[in-house]
Amino acid sequence: MRAVWDQPDVLASTNCYAFAANSPDGHPGTYGPQPGDRHFSYLREITVREVAEKAMTDGFIATEGCTKPKPGHYVVALAVAPNNDYHWYRQMEDGTWWHKPAPGKAVTNLDYDGNVITDPRTANRRNKRYEYTQFGGFFYAPNEGLKVGITPDREVLREYELQEVVELVQRQKQQRKASARKPVKADNDEFRRERARINKQRPRNRLHAFARRVWHRAEDMLAKIQGKPLPQRADPDAQLEALSERMAERARAADRHRRSAELKEIKELITFQEQRAAEGFRPTEADLKVKLSRQKGQRHSHSVAADVQNGYLRWTPVSRTAPADKPQPAAPTGEVKRKPTPDGGDIVVPVTEKNTPRP
């Protein structure tokens, strides 16, 4: 078993999911297969439910808590670091659990403490980057393995789709920055006004503070004599703290709303990508090259030509000479001067009051 998974090409192109599915071959690129990719059902978020559902579309079967293999099947286990990553474990014939830490790393039966894994639920699942705090359950897989991940003909498509997501995220970042300027300025102005109003309640000097204390004592004594409750006085420090918390909560609510809208937009893009790929869309390497060059902010000839073809740019002829029916205006003083150009020629510049040299 180790001989197959230690081969250089297999070692570099597979991940924990490929090892759990017993699928060492046919994985292009260096990302490793992802749950659901084989059947155009892409991951939208990293949760136990989402990863488990996508894995079951590839052929995994939930065991309903059973940890023992059944005839013709072995058992795998899922663990998730919410919103970050997932990890799979595979039970071998001797009862120990093995896993592949990452593409490029060898399979092992040791957890991150260096102990042999006898139960993935109790093993140390914290590596240098993530802690897989949520256990996702056990699943059956056939002994012959499962075909998971994209097929080689979809390698360019996957890179193209990844770049589409990156472009969307960058566009969202720009829109977020542009749209946040006015609300942030309004919130800051409101905070300054409220802070100034609250600070006006503070004593202006020591004499004012002394007079206020005397007045408050008189009010308290009068309330006691009349049998009334003591008057409640506003504390400027407490008011400022409450104001800061209110403004912070408003900003957090706006951020949650914005992130929810952005996540919805990304999910809609992934749904569109699934439908488009299932219908047979396959971009060419030239299409990917255009997208990559645009992603890096480069303006190569092929990307400019593609933009013109798609109607994003329009060629406009530019002439260095004025039209015949529109002659050059004469200099007000009747004098002209010549200005050299990079191509070896020169142009006539009328001498006006602004560019006339001082005597």
Side-chain angles (χ1 to χ4, degrees), residues 70-292:
K70 67 178 183 178
H73 294 74
Y74 59 90
V75 182
V76 299
L78 169 64
V80 172
N83 300 320
N84 288 312
D85 196 16
Y86 60 82
H87 199 60
W88 290 84
Y89 299 84
R90 174 179 162 190
Q91 190 182 40
M92 307 308 291
E93 295 179 355
D94 61 356
T96 60
W97 293 80
W98 290 62
H99 65 119
K100 194 171 189 297
K105 293 188 176 182
V107 297
T108 178
N109 63 345
L110 303 179
D111 65 7
Y112 295 110
D113 278 337
N115 300 321
V116 175
I117 304 174
T118 57
D119 189 338
R121 292 172 293 188
T122 59
N124 181 8
R125 302 195 299 265
R126 182 185 182 91
N127 59 21
K128 293 181 179 179
R129 296 185 63 187
Y130 306 118
E131 182 177 6
Y132 303 89
T133 56
Q134 295 184 359
F135 187 74
F138 299 97
F139 300 83
Y140 289 124
N143 290 336
E144 61 272 15
L146 294 168
K147 293 294 184 180
V148 296
I150 63 172
T151 52
D153 65 298
R154 290 167 55 189
E155 182 177 6
V156 175
L157 172 63
R158 178 172 64 178
E159 233 10 270
Y160 189 87
E161 291 171 340
L162 287 174
Q163 292 305 319
E164 285 183 325
V165 175
V166 171
E167 284 182 354
L168 175 59
V169 171
Q170 289 189 345
R171 186 166 63 251
Q172 289 176 341
K173 183 178 180 180
Q174 294 173 355
Q175 293 173 351
R176 184 190 319 151
K177 185 177 180 180
S179 62
R181 291 174 183 171
K182 288 185 177 180
V184 169
K185 184 178 183 302
D187 288 346
N188 289 339
D189 292 342
E190 180 182 352
F191 180 79
R192 293 190 188 99
R193 290 193 301 269
E194 290 295 316
R195 183 178 60 184
R197 181 186 62 80
I198 293 172
N199 286 333
K200 286 182 179 180
Q201 302 174 13
R202 300 180 185 276
R204 295 186 294 273
N205 48 47
R206 292 184 179 180
L207 181 60
H208 189 198
F210 175 75
R212 180 173 293 186
R213 286 197 300 269
V214 172
W215 179 259
H216 288 169
R217 289 175 184 174
E219 284 184 333
D220 293 344
M221 290 178 62
L222 181 61
K224 290 179 181 180
I225 293 172
Q226 296 176 349
K228 297 179 180 180
L230 297 179
Q232 299 294 328
R233 301 181 181 91
D235 181 10
D237 292 332
Q239 287 182 320
L240 279 177
E241 185 177 353
L243 174 64
S244 300
E245 180 59 29
R246 185 172 71 252
M247 301 298 291
E249 179 56 32
R250 181 190 300 179
R252 287 192 292 266
D255 184 68
R256 288 193 297 268
H257 177 74
R258 173 184 53 77
R259 289 184 181 277
S260 177
E262 291 177 352
L263 182 60
K264 181 180 179 181
E265 193 175 6
I266 292 175
K267 290 182 178 180
E268 289 175 351
L269 172 62
I270 295 176
T271 300
F272 168 73
Q273 290 176 340
E274 289 177 344
Q275 297 172 352
R276 183 182 61 181
E279 292 172 357
F281 171 75
R282 298 293 183 273
T284 62
E285 293 188 2
D287 296 331
L288 178 60
K289 190 175 182 181
V290 169
K291 189 166 288 294
L292 287 173

Side-chain angles (χ1 to χ4, degrees), residues 1-11 24 107:
M1 185 269 294
R2 289 291 298 272
V4 173
W5 292 95
D6 285 343
Q7 295 178 8
D9 55 340
V10 174
L11 190 69
V107 297

